[in-house]
Structure formats: structure tokens, C-alpha cells
Amino acid sequence: MRVSLSRAAALLRTGEPVAFPTETVYGLGASVHQPLAVRRIFALKGRPADHPLIVHFADAAQLARWVEVSDAARVLAGALWPGPLTLILPRKPVVPDVVTGGLDTVGVRIPSHPLARQLLTLTGPLAAPSANRFGRISPTTAAHVAEELGESVAILDGGPCAVGVESTIVDLTGPPALLRPGGVPRAAIEALIGPLGASATRAPGTLPSHYAPHTALLLSRDPDADAARLRASGQSVAVLRAGPSGEHAQRLYAELRRLDQEGVGVLIAELSGEDGLGDAINARLRRAAARG
Ligand code: TXA
Ligand code: MG
């Protein structure tokens, strides 16, 4: 069900989850002050309760109430927020356990989507995972959200997401580490705070298999050759071609959804170069191809 901005804010205040647009993907939000609403998010997604959620803020003003803000965090926040970046920081006691899955850290982010910021200004901080069922492709339109969670979920429609892949997650609780490539290229972060290590701990919930379409997916550096080979052996094939990484990221999930519904035997996805958002795209394709 589509709802207006004021209705979305009213629902969130009374403890109802609401799906809302961000520049990366749609989130399924609940007020951090409403533990029951946060629990309903896990139930709606079919997500294990120990997977921590990202907390979204309208601006940096209230941040120090919730997390310990380090120098590196200040630098990244100043340069890249609002935008598709999540920082993992030590939490303060005010952050409810249901949001962090009991961890002593919390992911925080200030999204740039104008509707998200207006909503957050009306409601205060919102805990929100991507608005898909657990293990499925993240939604980048309101219609995708309804496809994932059903028509009864309240959705604030902000049009198609501009970035199209989730935020980059940087862990700043130790030596800075990249937990998830995403909407901000690694190089943009390293230019500001130096080299990022590999994640010491995998983000809970970043399982090898994720973002999965139903159709068998083959990753390829030469999709034409692979398509010809498979067709010659009698397979029906659809091809998802790479392109400039920003544009490709923007349409990646919508294309995976569309091609998944074509009913072909094999979906061939062309791998991107690693520059720009290419590593974020390839990481998602690799997860989507890893079944089981
Ligand atoms: O772009 C995004 O980040 C979107 C939009 C809605 O903001 N959100 C999103 O949330 O992708 P979600 O829950 O689908 O993915 C967040 C990832 C999960 O893998 C989670 O385990 C990890 O971030 N995460 C959250 N808090 C964490 C923490 N304190 N430590 C380590 N990983 C954390
Ligand atoms: Mg997700």
C-alpha cells in the first residue's frame, strides 16, 4: 500500500514498519525507539534476529548521542555524507540491543535521498535493512518492495533508486576495514583515510549466497561466447551485459529481477571491471551465483 510522507511518519511513530526510498535501495524502516516495530521487521523479512540493522539519521547533529565518533569517522562523514556510506562505530548504551543483534557496535548512515531525509527529520532515527525477503534481491522501486513483502506493507514511493546497490560499509572500530563494497567506490574512501583492510569479521548476514535470483546464473568475461556455447547445447539463455559501472549498478537489481522472470534456462551476467562501482557489482553477482 502506497502512503504519503505524513502518513509514513505517523505510522512509524505508532510502531508500524514502513518501506522508504534511499539513494541505494529501499529500506524497511522502524523507529529505533520502538523495539516491537524493529522485531516486526525481522519477521516481515524472514531474517534471523541476530543480524544487526543500520540506523539512518537525517543529519550528523544527533550522531554523538548514539555512537563514539572517531577522527576517521569525522573525515568520512564530512566528505561523503549524506550518501551511500555506512560506518560501523562503537555504540553508546542508548542503542537498543534489538537493533544491533547484541553487538557493541552499530552501523550508521545519513542517506541523501530527499524523501528519506524528510522522513527522518519527521521521525528521528530509523533502523532499516533493505526491504527484501531474506536472501533475495534488494528492491530499487516501490513495485519491487510490494513484490517482496506484499501489498499490505506501507510503502513511501520515491521512484527508482539512483545508486542501485547498497551502501559501502566501513568498519571503524579497529583499523579501517571494508566490510561490504557498495555505492561509494573504495578508492574514494582510501583517498580520505588511507588503505582499507579486509574485513576481520564478516558482517553478520553477508552470507556467501545472497541476492539470489531463481534462475541459474553464470558469470562471464565473454558473454557472447558463453551464450553461443550454451545455445548450441540447446539451452535457452538471457544475457545481462555490463556497462559504465554507475549506470550498470543503477539498473542491476531491476534487470536481475526482470531476466529472472523470463523463464530461461540460464542467465549469463557479464562481469565488470573493478574500477568505480565495478567491485560492488561483481560482489553482488558472485553472491547471486553462489547457490545453496
Ligand atoms: O544501502 C544500504 O545500506 C541499505 C539502505 C536501506 O540503507 N541497507 C542495507 O541494510 O543494505 P541490510 O540490513 O540489508 O544490510 C546491512 C548489512 C548487513 O549485512 C549487516 O549484517 C551489516 O550491514 N551490519 C549492520 N550493522 C553491523 C555491525 N554493527 N557490524 C557489522 N555489520 C553490520
Ligand atoms: Mg540487505
Side-chain angles (χ1 to χ4, degrees):
M1 145 192 47
R2 306 295 196 273
V3 296
S4 66
L5 178 64
S6 58
R7 178 88 182 122
L11 286 170
L12 286 161
R13 272 192 228 104
T14 59
E16 288 291 319
V18 174
F20 66 98
T22 81
E23 71 280 18
T24 58
V25 301
Y26 275 72
L28 180 61
S31 167
V32 282
H33 301 296
Q34 306 260 6
L36 286 178
V38 177
R39 275 202 198 94
R40 283 193 56 203
I41 288 182
F42 288 96
L44 276 166
K45 278 183 63 90
R47 172 163 165 152
D50 61 347
H51 287 195
L53 303 179
I54 296 171
V55 181
H56 300 67
F57 295 84
D59 55 60
Q62 331 147 52
L63 218 62
R65 261 193 68 207
W66 298 84
V67 287
E68 307 285 349
V69 184
S70 63
D71 288 343
R74 249 175 236 110
V75 170
L76 292 180
L80 298 170
W81 276 346
L85 173 71
T86 294
L87 300 178
I88 306 294
L89 296 168
R91 71 185 251 202
K92 290 193 172 168
V94 64
V95 183
D97 278 337
V98 64
V99 171
T100 65
L103 298 176
D104 52 10
T105 62
V106 62
V108 291
R109 151 165 141 78
I110 299 179
S112 65
H113 195 295
L115 262 186
R117 301 194 72 198
Q118 288 173 48
L119 182 67
L120 289 162
T121 303
L122 293 172
T123 60
L126 296 177
S130 51
N132 51 281
R133 293 199 48 82
F134 182 62
R136 290 272 305 144
I137 300 169
S138 296
T140 55
T141 68
H144 296 165
V145 177
E147 227 173 276
E148 286 291 318
L149 302 177
E151 282 295 342
S152 61
V153 167
I155 307 172
L156 178 63
D157 189 346
C161 302
V163 175
V165 293
E166 298 85 346
S167 60
T168 302
I169 305 182
V170 177
D171 184 354
L172 293 177
T173 59
L178 184 67
L179 284 197
R180 176 177 75 182
V184 176
R186 168 197 276 266
I189 295 162
E190 294 188 326
L192 291 161
I193 60 166
L196 291 172
S199 55
T201 54
R202 194 169 69 185
T206 54
L207 307 172
S209 166
H210 215 127
Y211 313 112
H214 300 293
T215 313
L217 181 65
L218 175 70
L219 308 187
S220 174
R221 298 250 172 232
D222 189 348
D224 291 324
D226 283 325
R229 181 174 54 77
L230 287 169
R231 284 191 180 113
S233 73
Q235 292 266 27
S236 62
V237 169
V239 177
L240 172 57
R241 281 177 203 286
S245 72
E247 289 164 36
H248 189 39
Q250 204 269 329
R251 64 189 168 82
L252 178 70
Y253 288 148
E255 286 288 279
L256 279 175
R257 267 174 203 279
R258 188 179 65 76
L259 294 170
D260 199 21
Q261 285 162 5
E262 283 198 351
V264 296
V266 184
L267 224 160
I268 300 177
E270 181 177 12
L271 285 162
S272 292
E274 295 281 316
D275 54 319
L277 298 189
D279 64 340
I281 293 167
N282 288 346
R284 280 146 185 90
L285 288 176
R286 291 202 176 95
R287 289 247 178 78
R291 320 207 118 242

